[in-house]
Amino acid sequence: MKGLTAPSLSLTNRLPGARFDDVVIVIGGSNSVMREGWYRWFKIYARDRMDLHVINFSIGAASSLISVYRILADDIRGRNVTIVWEYAINEDVCVRHRGDIYSPAMVERNVARFLTLCARRSIKVLPLLLPTQRMWKNEDWRLTKVIETVFKRFGTKPFRYDRLLAKRVADLPDTPIFLDTLHFEPGPISKMIASSVLKRMHHAEVPVIPADAPEDSLTWFVTADFQAGEPIRFKNRLFDTHGYRPAKSRMLHPAPTRPADLLGIILVSRIESHGFEMRLPSESLHFASAPLASRIPVQLKIFTLEAVRDRPIRLNPGETLEFSYSLEPDLLAPATFNPAPGTPEVPAAPLSTIAGLLWETEATATDLMRESVTQMS
């Protein structure tokens, strides 16, 4: 049985201690972030047609592992909570652009982690699988089928929008479908997506953990317990959190109390990119905090360690992580879709920071008790 520890980090998108009762939460990529995209119309239609309260926790240019982080960091739980998950495009881009370090098997594990987390918290899920322009033109659904299979294993019914779009495209001969290779046009297409998702809200189900699930004794948690770090508040319309930058060139993360695998490092990225060095007892890792070229000055990213070392990084009790700024990062964060060798310039006053760490470890009886109590409350 899995247990889930309460995180020490909150993104404060709600009042402290508040529950997410009777709410629909969209967690997806950049198509769910666009100001004139499908989410805007979905929120309007949900309010006007079904009197639903909708919240957007989407983060663009990140792998679906960020969906696990958002549930934990905001401690999403409550009565009648539904999550609309939209990360199929992001995972396809990660695998297609950097398949050497980001594999379909990794996508399966991340989606399974998300679904297991929702199952333990009795959160209903409606998976929205949107296609990229390339997938649509070439009818290449290989990764879509991988993701679809994972959702079906957990008893949830994915909404493959490509199938509906194929039926409707004849009725839209003069309507542009894609804004670019990854994004849908605002306007009629985005309105159609929103309306279609709303009609399928009754298909949302609480996932059921398969009997053969391989990670049955694991738990996930987020920490931001940095020592010798300077907290800085970052806020925009999608998140409100504190990032920590090394004070006097370094900061420490306390040692875990039990063996733990570090899955990802959550970064608050600024346009002024620069590198970090993470030192472990056995090795050092250089990485860069580099958002995509964008008008968005502050972005939340997740540096997926498993995508770099083909495995999470294990930290044993008594072992401490140390972070410092680095002038020689050997790759950019996989969360930005285009990791590549390079040495970003370091500004005189680095602004990108580390917001937290996502861990996976063995569940204890205390973890299981805490989760069962919070579900009943």
Side-chain angles (χ1 to χ4, degrees):
M1 182 177 183
K2 283 192 172 105
L4 303 166
T5 65
S8 59
L9 176 67
S10 175
L11 295 186
T12 61
N13 282 312
R14 59 193 171 89
L15 295 175
R19 292 169 60 93
F20 290 89
D21 293 339
D22 303 309
V23 69
V24 176
I25 301 172
V26 175
I27 300 182
S30 52
N31 274 284
S32 299
V33 173
M34 295 168 61
R35 288 185 180 275
E36 301 297 323
W38 78 273
Y39 171 79
R40 177 194 176 189
W41 301 108
F42 176 71
K43 185 173 184 178
I44 293 173
Y45 296 160
R47 179 195 63 206
D48 295 347
R49 301 177 187 178
M50 299 179 67
D51 194 27
L52 292 175
H53 179 46
V54 182
I55 301 174
N56 195 354
F57 277 8
S58 301
I59 296 294
S63 74
S64 64
L65 190 60
I66 198 82
S67 61
V68 175
Y69 164 74
R70 294 233 62 171
I71 294 175
L72 291 169
D74 283 282
D75 199 18
I76 297 174
R77 64 176 77 247
R79 294 187 304 271
N80 194 27
V81 182
T82 301
I83 289 178
V84 179
W85 182 95
E86 185 272 305
Y87 269 112
I89 285 179
N90 296 49
E91 295 293 42
D92 181 79
V93 174
C94 284
V95 170
R96 190 154 302 277
H97 284 249
R98 287 310 303 265
D100 56 330
I101 62 173
Y102 203 94
S103 67
M106 192 180 306
V107 175
E108 289 185 71
R109 290 193 290 274
N110 288 339
V111 174
R113 286 175 176 125
F114 164 76
L115 288 169
T116 300
L117 185 51
C118 291
R120 294 303 179 202
R121 297 192 173 202
S122 299
I123 298 172
K124 291 184 285 187
V125 176
L126 178 64
L128 171 60
L129 309 189
L130 296 176
T132 63
Q133 187 179 55
R134 180 201 58 77
M135 294 161 66
W136 173 251
K137 287 184 176 180
N138 300 336
E139 297 187 356
D140 183 358
W141 311 116
R142 286 173 293 178
L143 189 64
T144 302
K145 291 178 179 177
V146 169
I147 297 173
E148 187 177 23
T149 298
V150 179
F151 278 110
K152 288 182 176 179
R153 281 185 60 233
F154 280 78
T156 52
K157 185 176 181 180
F159 174 27
R160 279 192 52 175
Y161 190 71
D162 61 281
R163 291 171 176 165
L164 180 62
L165 187 60
K167 295 177 182 178
R168 300 277 185 88
V169 72
D171 301 327
L172 304 166
D174 299 320
T175 301
I177 297 175
F178 293 95
L179 179 66
D180 53 40
T181 57
L182 303 178
H183 302 99
F184 283 84
E185 277 277 1
I189 288 295
S190 291
K191 291 180 180 180
M192 186 189 302
I193 295 173
S195 182
S196 301
V197 172
L198 189 64
K199 290 177 181 178
R200 284 161 177 77
M201 288 303 297
H202 67 281
H203 288 302
E205 297 282 353
V206 175
V208 178
I209 300 175
D212 61 347
E215 299 171 311
D216 199 44
S217 63
L218 297 176
T219 182
W220 303 281
F221 60 100
V222 173
T223 61
D225 303 319
F226 297 108
Q227 299 172 349
E230 298 176 354
I232 305 170
R233 188 180 183 186
F234 295 90
K235 181 179 180 180
N236 62 18
R237 66 188 176 96
L238 294 174
F239 64 90
D240 181 353
T241 189
H242 281 87
Y244 294 80
R245 64 182 182 188
K248 296 181 180 179
S249 80
R250 73 188 188 107
M251 67 179 177
L252 302 176
H253 186 277
T257 57
R258 46 192 151 134
D261 290 331
L262 179 58
L263 299 179
I265 303 171
I266 296 88
L267 305 169
V268 182
S269 296
R270 300 295 296 260
I271 297 302
E272 303 89 346
S273 126
H274 63 277
F276 287 99
E277 180 182 8
M278 180 177 70
R279 286 185 290 278
L280 303 97
S282 59
E283 61 180 322
S284 293
L285 176 66
H286 296 263
F287 58 94
S289 171
L292 293 173
S294 172
R295 292 176 298 175
I296 303 174
V298 181
Q299 301 179 33
L300 197 68
K301 296 284 175 272
I302 185 164
F303 181 58
T304 308
L305 274 303
E306 195 175 8
V308 179
R309 293 291 186 263
D310 195 31
R311 56 175 172 78
I313 289 179
R314 170 58 63 97
L315 204 64
N316 295 309
E319 296 179 340
T320 301
L321 286 174
E322 182 175 337
F323 293 91
S324 62
Y325 286 120
S326 169
L327 296 175
E328 298 181 354
D330 55 13
L331 73 163
L332 304 185
T336 61
F337 292 165
N338 59 340
T343 306
E345 294 182 4
V346 180
L351 294 176
S352 296
T353 65
I354 297 174
L357 307 176
L358 180 60
W359 300 91
E360 185 173 60
T361 189
E362 294 291 327
T364 66
T366 302
D367 297 334
L368 301 179
M369 178 64 72
R370 181 188 296 113
E371 187 66 13
S372 63
V373 169
T374 52
Q375 283 185 5
M376 292 186 294
S377 61

